[in-house]
């Protein structure tokens, strides 16, 4: 064992210091808390008290069983998520490669060498076999360690990016499903309006045939019917396109909506407001940006180490002989130890440029990290503003629709009794149809805003029951 002392001692010196700057998380360039708007006391909502979105699994946030099934299907089939998982495997492998460079690679080999130093000199031979270490770098200044740390941070950033992809996917599926429910509700309203207008056209045609109504009223009735038909075609097209979008997100057929599932009956829980802004640190996209910053910081240490000597070791231990036949005979033990140190002298500014590039990349990573926090803060603030106002907007819009429905019934009654003109009836029909459509859109915006708030606060992340990578 004493004969191994030089090699073992040299390898034990690896990783003695690091030239990377001390990492400090930048201060978040946002306020300490999110702005909070007063919420109407009569706004209906289910509450999830004392539970932050980041700890709330999507299985609990979405009560609709069919929606939960679609989300589970998307987590198994979605190609974007598969790409994100494959990126993790690639980053993990790259990290393992960098980590392996911190330890010597030991192999078994047999080599032979024959040489002569002159025409009249005898040929010298040397044959060796045994364990060998080739060009192992002594990491005295932390270059290899910092490269390994940077690869680890890149791997962790990729893992966080995969979580962000899953959160985005869950929200996208939920929003597409809510949009599909809205399409079906708009279809029902449009079909009912079309039937009403077709009946009005039939009665107007009878009145015209009997000389009671004018051609002007008849054409107005036909115009309303054709307008409803155009709206119906556009709504059917929009529903088909939204089905296609949901199919793309889910990665397979989505089937028909279950009987009784309507947008009007769908409720999502309100999320607590007045939360501190440091909750943003739990968002995977912000954690990914921070890992990118950590990797850039470690790369500065690796770039600084390029200014110092790079020491590599090549050695072997085993059997050695001047004759091939005596290579494995008793007493043929031998070892070699060949260190090499290279100190850069003239590199024409290459190392300085590499260090400058690493510092610039660190500054870019800092700016990107701060920008991601600012963007996240704005997203949460916007969603909180929506949570405080969409419920009141929906209440008011439904009240408008109820008033317009009552006005239409009164206008229809007055027209049949000759107390109102046909123009009054047509105006009431148009206003009712518009108010009903706006009520559906207001409800859709309210529910989609709740999904957005859940997403931007970092909710929606949980491990799939069966990881895609295993399939």
């Amino acid at each position: 064992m004493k004969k191994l002392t030089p090699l073992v001692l040299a390898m034990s010196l690896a990783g003695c210091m690091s030239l990377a700057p001390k990492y400090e998380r930048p201060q978040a360039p946002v306020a300490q808390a999110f702005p909070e708007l007063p919420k109407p006391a009569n706004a209906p909502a289910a509450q999830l008290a004392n539970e932050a979105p980041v700890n709330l699994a999507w299985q609990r946030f979405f009560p609709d069983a069919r929606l939960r099934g679609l989300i589970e299907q998307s987590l198994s089939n979605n190609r974007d998520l598969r790409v994100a998982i494959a990126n993790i495997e690639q980053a993990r492998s790259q990290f393992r490669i960098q980590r392996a460079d911190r330890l010597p690679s030991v192999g078994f080999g047999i080599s032979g060498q024959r040489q002569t130093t002159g025409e009249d000199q005898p040929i010298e031979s040397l044959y060796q076999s045994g364990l060998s270490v080739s060009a192992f770098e002594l990491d005295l200044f932390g270059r290899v360690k910092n490269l390994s740390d940077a690869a680890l941070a890149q791997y962790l950033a990729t893992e966080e990016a995969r979580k962000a992809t899953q959160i985005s996917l869950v929200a996208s599926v939920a929003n597409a499903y809510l949009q599909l429910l809205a399409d079906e509700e708009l279809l029902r309203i449009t079909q009912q309006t079309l039937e009403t207008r077709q009946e009005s056209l039939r009665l107007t045609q009878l009145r015209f045939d009997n000389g009671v109504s004018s051609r002007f009223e008849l054409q107005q009735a036909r115009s309303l019917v054709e307008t409803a038909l155009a709206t119906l075609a556009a709504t059917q097209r929009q529903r088909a396109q939204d089905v296609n979008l949901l199919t793309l997100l889910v990665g397979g057929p989505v089937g028909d909506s279950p009987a009784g599932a309507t947008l009007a009956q769908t409720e999502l829980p309100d999320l607590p407001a007045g939360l501190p802004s440091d909750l943003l640190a739990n968002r995977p996209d912000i954690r990914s940006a921070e890992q990118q910053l950590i990797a850039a910081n470690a790369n500065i240490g690796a770039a600084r180490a390029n200014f110092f000597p790079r020491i590599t070791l090549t050695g072997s231990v085993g059997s050695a002989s001047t004759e091939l036949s005596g290579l494995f005979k008793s007493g043929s033990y031998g070892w070699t130890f060949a260190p090499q140190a290279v100190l850069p002298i003239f590199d024409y500014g290459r190392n300085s440029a590499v260090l400058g590039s690493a510092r610039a990349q660190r500054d870019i990573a800092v700016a990107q990290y701060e920008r991601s926090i600012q963007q996240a803060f704005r997203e949460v603030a916007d969603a909180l503003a929506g949570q405080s106002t969409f419920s009141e907007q929906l209440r008011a819009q439904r009240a408008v629709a109820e008033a317009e429905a009552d006005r239409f019934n009164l206008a229809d009654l007055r027209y049949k009794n000759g107390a109102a003109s046909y123009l009054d009836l047509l105006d009431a029909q148009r206003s009712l149809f518009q108010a009903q459509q706006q009520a559906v859109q207001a409800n859709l915006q309210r529910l989609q805003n709740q999904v957005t708030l859940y997403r931007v606060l970092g909710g929606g992340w949980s491990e799939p029951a069966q990881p895609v990578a295993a399939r």
Side-chain angles (χ1 to χ4, degrees), residues 374-395:
Q374 291 175 333
Q375 181 66 26
F377 186 88
R378 188 243 171 123
E379 291 175 351
V380 174
D382 287 349
L384 286 175
Q387 182 172 259
S388 301
T389 56
F390 273 124
S391 294
E392 174 61 18
Q393 179 181 344
L394 174 60
R395 184 207 62 76

Side-chain angles (χ1 to χ4, degrees), residues 301-317:
R304 286 176 174 175
N306 289 333
F307 290 90
F308 295 87
R310 185 176 301 181
I311 302 175
T312 58
L313 301 179
T314 300
S316 64
V317 58

Side-chain angles (χ1 to χ4, degrees), residues 51-350:
E51 186 163 8
V54 291
N55 299 321
L56 180 60
W58 58 263
Q59 292 90 340
R60 292 192 54 211
F61 184 76
F62 298 107
D64 191 315
R66 184 183 181 232
L67 174 56
R68 291 198 300 269
L70 291 174
I71 292 175
E72 291 176 355
Q73 188 178 350
S74 70
L75 295 179
S76 299
N77 298 335
N78 187 267
R79 269 53 178 178
D80 289 337
L81 192 57
R82 290 188 179 184
V83 170
I85 293 176
N87 288 335
I88 290 177
E89 296 302 322
Q90 182 185 29
R92 181 188 290 119
S93 298
Q94 188 62 38
F95 163 61
R96 293 176 63 184
I97 292 172
Q98 292 290 347
R99 185 179 60 180
D101 288 341
R102 299 177 63 177
L103 298 174
S105 298
V106 180
F108 178 84
I110 299 177
S111 63
Q113 178 178 340
R114 291 170 59 84
Q115 69 176 17
T116 180
T117 57
E119 183 178 353
D120 298 330
Q121 298 298 320
I123 297 176
E124 298 178 355
S125 302
L126 178 63
Y127 301 94
Q128 294 178 310
S129 69
L131 302 178
S132 63
V133 175
S134 177
F136 168 64
E137 181 176 346
L138 286 180
D139 197 22
L140 299 179
F141 304 100
R143 190 187 77 88
V144 179
K145 178 183 182 300
N146 283 316
L147 290 176
S148 177
D149 291 343
L152 174 60
Q154 291 284 357
Y155 160 64
L156 295 176
T158 308
E159 170 67 22
E160 296 297 341
R162 194 263 293 203
K163 295 178 182 179
T165 301
Q166 175 171 323
I167 292 174
S168 178
L169 176 60
V170 169
S172 296
V173 172
N175 283 328
Y177 178 74
L178 293 173
Q179 180 65 62
L180 184 58
L181 291 183
D183 293 338
E184 293 172 348
E185 193 161 326
L186 289 172
L187 271 176
R188 287 193 293 270
I189 293 173
T190 304
Q191 288 168 345
Q192 292 171 0
T193 300
L194 177 60
E195 292 173 0
T196 300
R197 292 182 178 182
Q198 286 175 335
E199 177 63 17
S200 178
L201 174 61
R202 185 184 69 81
L203 295 176
T204 304
Q205 182 70 51
L206 288 175
R207 291 167 62 88
F208 175 75
D209 293 341
N210 291 282
V212 179
S213 296
S214 66
R215 185 177 182 84
F216 179 75
E217 290 180 349
L218 178 62
Q219 294 302 329
Q220 283 183 318
R222 286 177 177 172
S223 175
L224 284 180
V225 169
E226 295 300 332
T227 300
L229 287 172
T231 303
L232 179 63
T235 307
Q236 290 172 335
R237 179 176 65 252
Q238 185 62 51
R239 183 189 182 280
Q241 292 174 346
D242 290 334
V243 169
N244 293 337
L245 172 61
L246 191 56
T247 301
L248 173 64
L249 292 172
V250 171
V254 297
D256 297 327
S257 299
T262 64
L263 189 72
Q265 297 175 348
T266 302
E267 283 296 339
L268 296 176
D270 275 354
L271 298 173
L275 300 172
S277 61
D278 57 7
L279 278 178
L280 293 176
N282 292 314
R283 281 183 38 154
D285 58 334
I286 293 180
R287 291 201 298 264
S288 177
E290 184 176 11
Q291 290 298 332
Q292 296 285 359
L293 175 57
I294 293 174
N297 197 71
N299 283 330
I300 292 179
R304 286 176 174 175
N306 289 333
F307 290 90
F308 295 87
R310 185 176 301 181
I311 302 175
T312 58
L313 301 179
T314 300
S316 64
V317 58
S319 177
S321 174
T322 58
E323 297 179 359
L324 182 60
S325 59
L327 186 59
F328 298 103
K329 290 183 178 180
S330 176
S332 61
Y333 175 81
W335 60 270
T336 61
F337 180 62
Q340 181 184 35
V342 178
L343 176 66
I345 298 178
F346 300 110
D347 63 358
Y348 303 98
R350 181 180 183 277

Side-chain angles (χ1 to χ4, degrees), residues 401-424:
E402 292 175 1
E404 292 295 339
D406 190 44
R407 184 166 81 95
F408 169 71
N409 292 331
L410 292 174
D412 185 50
L413 182 62
R414 286 167 57 86
Y415 174 69
K416 290 178 180 177
N417 290 285
S421 68
Y422 190 63
L423 289 177
D424 293 335

